[in-house]
Amino acid sequence: MYLPRCRALVAVIAVLIFSLPSLAQSKAPSLTLAVDATEAPRKIFHARLTIPASPGTLTLYYPKWIPGEHAPDGPVVDLAGLKFTGNGQTLNWRRDLTDMYTIHVEVPAGVTTVEASLDYLSPAGERGFSEAASATARMTVVSWNQVLLYPSGWPADQITYRASLRLPEGWEFGTALPVASHSGNEINFQPASLYTLVDSPVIAGEYLKVVPLRPAGEYPPHEMDIAADSAAALDAPPEVWQDYRNLVSQAYALFGARHYRDYHFLYSLSNHVAHFGLEHHESDDSRVGEDGLVNPGERKLVAGLLPHEYVHSWNGKYRRPADLTTPDYEKPMVTTMLWVYEGLTSYLGDVLTARSGMWNPQEFREELAMTGAMLDHRPGRTWRNLQDTNDSAQVLYFSPPQWSSWRRSVDFYPEGVLDWLWADVIIRQQTHNQKSLNDFCKLFYAGPTPQPNQAPMVKPYTVDDLVNALNQVAPYDWRGFWHERLTTHAAHAPLGGIEGSGWRVVYTDTPSEMSKLAEQNRKSINAEYSVGLALRDDGTIVDAVQGMLAANAGIGPGMQVVAVNGRKFTPEVWHDVLKATKTASGPLQLLIENTDYFTTYSLNYHGGEMYPHLERETGQPDLLSDIVKALPAK
Ligand SMILES: [Zn+2]
């Protein structure tokens, strides 16, 4: 969605990809946008815009397709208080009858500027992405796409906004958006394109910690801007900051280039905002619980988030699938290549998490074992191939956890870890360890660092570009490899990369440390690989894996286990009884409540608990340990 400028080579690609403005002879519009966030704690934002106009119909859009969310989930339902005036008169408007994000304003003769005012009703619900809860009593993240309209007819990078933001008294802020002036709680930003504005959210709060990640004066600068619901949540031990410094240097060692003027990790620590990560070219909007930095266990569980979003600055923002490179937020995004955009990012994010020290090699392997096991128990693979999880991403992002083993979900994330590990292993094998996916990264993501006065650029790619680059690193049937990965309906997960790297997935009755942490901190019980049930710690069944024992007996999602072998359900009772099935002579008896009715199910199960681990494949070289070793830092 970014129209690159000033570079002849990229301009050629851009002309092919972007539709030209319909009013090419007119000057691209310049708007002002004043956002009042002083009422963020009560979850309402006010905005005023001035929009150049001429008599007739002025067509405005509210951003619909949100970059990085790969879906038409702009929160138009939360747009309220919309009013337009021109020369002091109220102007009539009507919503487009076939597109809820399009507003038509009637502009009378003599009016050259339309003033718009609107409110954004920031939700309290925590499920979702940037459109979900984003403001608490002590902090907020302002996503500009939620508080603006833009005129039709121009690509987002040609429309200029002069934005200002007013914060609650005493709140500090962090953002990658260049600031023109800052006085008290009022910030004036430098004029920026709509593209850059939407790509540059602002984090703000009463408790805001700024942590520089590179030496002062070095270009480009890197910092963390962390807002929390308490001062105590920011008080992480020194090694945490060192890990993030390592992340910056390990990413540079991997890619050999940077494509931003400045990078800001915007990190929200709150139990009252939605938890997710959203990438931007020069920042990321990542949100975890309030104890995400100070609780060592929680820190391990969320460790992969910032590395993932940071990788996106290269993979997703700088290099972007051509069919996701749209000119504005109205044109639909096509998501056929998320297996690269998200899949490769998931793999590289995990690898960088280990290389920067946030996971040790054992923790990396435990995560990988969990990924392999989960995908190996997804019978939905037999009807929905990996390509279809890409193609239907815009609906799968909003699918519930119930039935996920049969529906599948946005599996191109975890399956990308397995597939790109496999690709990494193939390159290492084909080149006798002379090359690796690191070489592909240096080749595919090469390019100059933008100067301080240049917006970052986008270099779109196709499957052909990807296959050609892989072949330059190591000649191989890459097209055939990816075709098989994307179209197979095999019942089992692609574990060739794990096996080729010298390891295999095994199951024991002892949970790994990462499995244990996930169960404790997420209040869940993983019995998917034994009887085929995913449970919450109150016995509620989240999923019953199709084809496994519990599902075959008639148990399904939404039911609740109330007793196990005649004893009231607790997580401890569950684990004890399941473990004892190995030596028990009778069946496992589950008393289950289903919509107010109770039924006892007997499962003839004697396998004990089943938790995944990686075990060394003797005789095979241990490529996995090489992969997670830190690179010589730059
Ligand atoms: Zn991502």
Side-chain angles (χ1 to χ4, degrees):
M1 67 214 56
Y2 174 66
L3 185 58
R5 286 173 289 208
C6 312
R7 286 184 179 80
L9 177 68
V10 180
V12 172
I13 301 167
V15 167
L16 296 173
I17 289 172
F18 298 107
S19 58
L20 289 170
S22 56
L23 299 170
Q25 73 280 14
S26 307
K27 194 168 170 289
S30 185
L31 290 76
T32 67
L33 168 64
V35 174
D36 178 355
T38 55
E39 289 198 282
R42 59 183 293 260
K43 298 185 170 56
I44 187 165
F45 294 75
H46 314 285
R48 301 185 71 84
L49 295 107
T50 58
I51 309 162
S54 51
T57 301
L58 171 66
T59 297
L60 301 169
Y61 297 130
Y62 186 69
K64 180 193 213 171
W65 285 84
I66 305 307
E69 298 188 4
H70 317 306
D73 62 339
V76 72
V77 71
D78 296 313
L79 175 64
L82 190 58
K83 281 186 184 157
F84 298 95
T85 58
N87 291 346
Q89 294 173 353
T90 299
L91 306 183
N92 294 328
W93 63 272
R94 191 167 189 192
R95 193 182 302 271
D96 192 278
L97 300 183
T98 58
D99 180 63
M100 299 293 104
Y101 293 78
T102 302
I103 302 286
H104 303 292
V105 184
E106 295 312 317
V107 181
V111 170
T112 55
T113 301
V114 167
E115 298 195 342
S117 58
L118 61 87
D119 294 331
Y120 173 63
L121 313 176
S122 182
E126 287 155 27
R127 190 173 151 78
F129 309 108
S130 64
E131 83 288 0
S134 302
T136 78
R138 293 291 181 270
M139 60 152 297
T140 191
V141 177
V142 179
S143 300
W144 296 100
N145 59 286
Q146 295 168 349
V147 288
L148 61 75
L149 298 165
Y150 66 98
S152 73
W154 286 270
D157 80 317
Q158 291 189 11
I159 306 172
T160 304
Y161 281 73
R162 192 179 288 271
S164 63
L165 177 64
R166 179 180 292 178
L167 295 171
E169 210 62 54
W171 285 24
E172 299 294 331
F173 71 97
T175 180
L177 191 63
V179 172
S181 66
H182 173 209
S183 167
N185 61 338
E186 184 92 33
I187 309 143
N188 291 298
F189 295 96
Q190 292 178 21
S193 71
L194 173 60
Y195 176 87
T196 298
L197 186 68
V198 168
D199 198 39
S200 309
V202 180
I203 194 168
E206 184 172 329
Y207 309 111
L208 188 108
K209 188 182 181 90
V210 176
V211 183
L213 296 176
R214 297 292 295 176
E218 187 184 277
Y219 185 83
H222 297 74
E223 70 180 48
M224 298 181 80
D225 304 319
I226 315 165
D229 276 340
S230 67
L234 299 166
D235 197 17
E239 65 265 23
V240 170
W241 314 121
Q242 186 55 45
D243 287 345
Y244 287 112
R245 289 187 189 104
N246 296 345
L247 172 61
V248 170
S249 56
Q250 284 299 311
Y252 191 44
L254 174 64
F255 293 109
R258 290 171 172 136
H259 303 288
Y260 44 79
R261 302 166 286 185
D262 192 358
Y263 193 90
H264 293 248
F265 293 92
L266 309 184
Y267 206 16
S268 300
L269 306 172
S270 169
N271 300 334
H272 305 288
V273 298
H275 293 164
F276 65 94
L278 182 58
E279 65 276 17
H280 299 284
H281 212 128
E282 301 182 301
S283 63
D284 64 276
D285 169 8
S286 296
R287 312 185 193 177
V288 300
E290 188 174 336
D291 65 348
L293 271 183
V294 294
N295 177 324
E298 193 58 26
R299 209 160 59 223
K300 291 281 180 202
L301 282 181
V302 302
L305 178 61
L306 267 56
H308 177 105
E309 301 310 336
Y310 188 38
V311 166
H312 271 315
S313 181
W314 289 263
N315 184 44
K317 290 296 174 179
Y318 170 57
R319 300 292 330 243
R320 190 175 310 165
D323 54 12
L324 276 176
T325 313
T326 50
D328 61 16
Y329 314 102
E330 184 65 13
K331 190 168 185 289
M333 294 175 184
V334 176
T335 54
T336 56
M337 289 189 74
L338 289 176
W339 54 278
V340 192
Y341 185 121
E342 295 295 356
L344 176 54
T345 299
S346 296
Y347 175 64
L348 294 177
D350 283 2
V351 166
L352 284 176
T353 304
R355 287 183 188 169
S356 55
M358 294 182 224
W359 286 337
N360 62 35
Q362 172 70 20
E363 289 158 350
F364 176 87
R365 286 194 297 271
E366 291 177 4
E367 278 288 313
L368 188 56
M370 287 158 75
T371 301
M374 184 266 285
L375 291 166
D376 211 32
H377 292 79
R378 290 238 152 163
R381 326 173 57 81
T382 57
W383 75 269
R384 172 173 254 158
N385 59 26
L386 185 62
Q387 183 63 61
D388 191 58
T389 69
N390 287 258
D391 299 348
S392 48
Q394 61 174 289
V395 290
L396 286 178
Y397 274 110
F398 304 93
S399 61
Q402 291 79 19
W403 287 112
S404 55
S405 70
W406 184 236
R407 177 192 293 108
R408 302 194 77 177
S409 183
V410 284
D411 287 2
F412 44 83
Y413 288 79
E415 199 149 323
V417 174
L418 301 185
D419 287 343
W420 282 97
L421 167 63
W422 201 345
D424 200 350
V425 165
I426 290 170
I427 295 171
R428 288 165 194 260
Q429 288 171 339
Q430 293 293 112
T431 62
H432 306 286
N433 277 323
Q434 297 304 300
K435 297 267 177 76
S436 72
L437 203 67
N438 299 342
D439 297 279
F440 165 83
C441 289
K442 283 210 178 56
L443 176 69
F444 201 63
Y445 302 99
T449 306
Q451 294 303 305
N453 59 351
Q454 287 178 310
M457 97 176 163
V458 180
K459 205 173 159 190
Y461 64 83
T462 62
V463 174
D464 285 348
D465 297 329
L466 183 83
V467 165
N468 289 342
L470 284 166
N471 272 321
Q472 278 186 56
V473 176
Y476 187 73
D477 179 18
W478 290 111
R479 197 176 299 278
F481 172 79
W482 286 114
H483 179 79
E484 176 64 17
R485 299 278 63 75
L486 289 160
T487 61
T488 179
H489 285 286
H492 287 285
L495 300 175
I498 293 179
E499 287 154 12
S501 72
W503 298 80
R504 63 168 178 269
V505 180
V506 297
Y507 297 86
T508 76
D509 61 6
T510 310
S512 66
E513 288 304 310
M514 293 300 275
S515 295
K516 217 186 291 177
L517 266 177
E519 288 197 335
Q520 281 168 3
N521 290 26
R522 299 293 171 261
K523 301 187 186 310
S524 63
I525 294 172
N526 187 338
E528 286 174 84
Y529 319 129
S530 50
V531 294
L533 287 176
L535 302 140
R536 284 205 279 269
D537 68 358
D538 65 354
T540 304
I541 295 167
V542 179
D543 202 9
V545 181
Q546 280 292 81
M548 292 190 67
L549 214 52
N552 288 349
I555 300 171
M559 301 180 188
Q560 186 172 16
V561 182
V562 291
V564 189
N565 282 2
R567 188 169 184 193
K568 184 180 167 182
F569 174 93
T570 67
E572 294 73 25
V573 166
W574 172 273
H575 287 300
D576 286 348
V577 171
L578 201 67
K579 194 170 268 185
T581 56
K582 266 186 166 172
T583 50
S585 51
L588 171 67
Q589 299 224 322
L590 302 180
L591 174 62
I592 286 185
E593 182 179 358
N594 180 13
T595 56
D596 302 338
Y597 286 87
F598 292 82
T599 307
T600 296
Y601 296 86
S602 285
L603 308 185
N604 185 18
Y605 179 73
H606 298 283
E609 296 217 90
M610 294 279 193
Y611 287 100
H613 302 264
L614 289 197
E615 191 176 86
R616 273 288 279 136
E617 190 80 75
T618 45
Q620 280 261 41
D622 179 6
L623 297 182
L624 203 55
S625 296
D626 291 343
I627 287 170
V628 299
K629 258 187 210 131
L631 299 176
K634 292 188 178 180

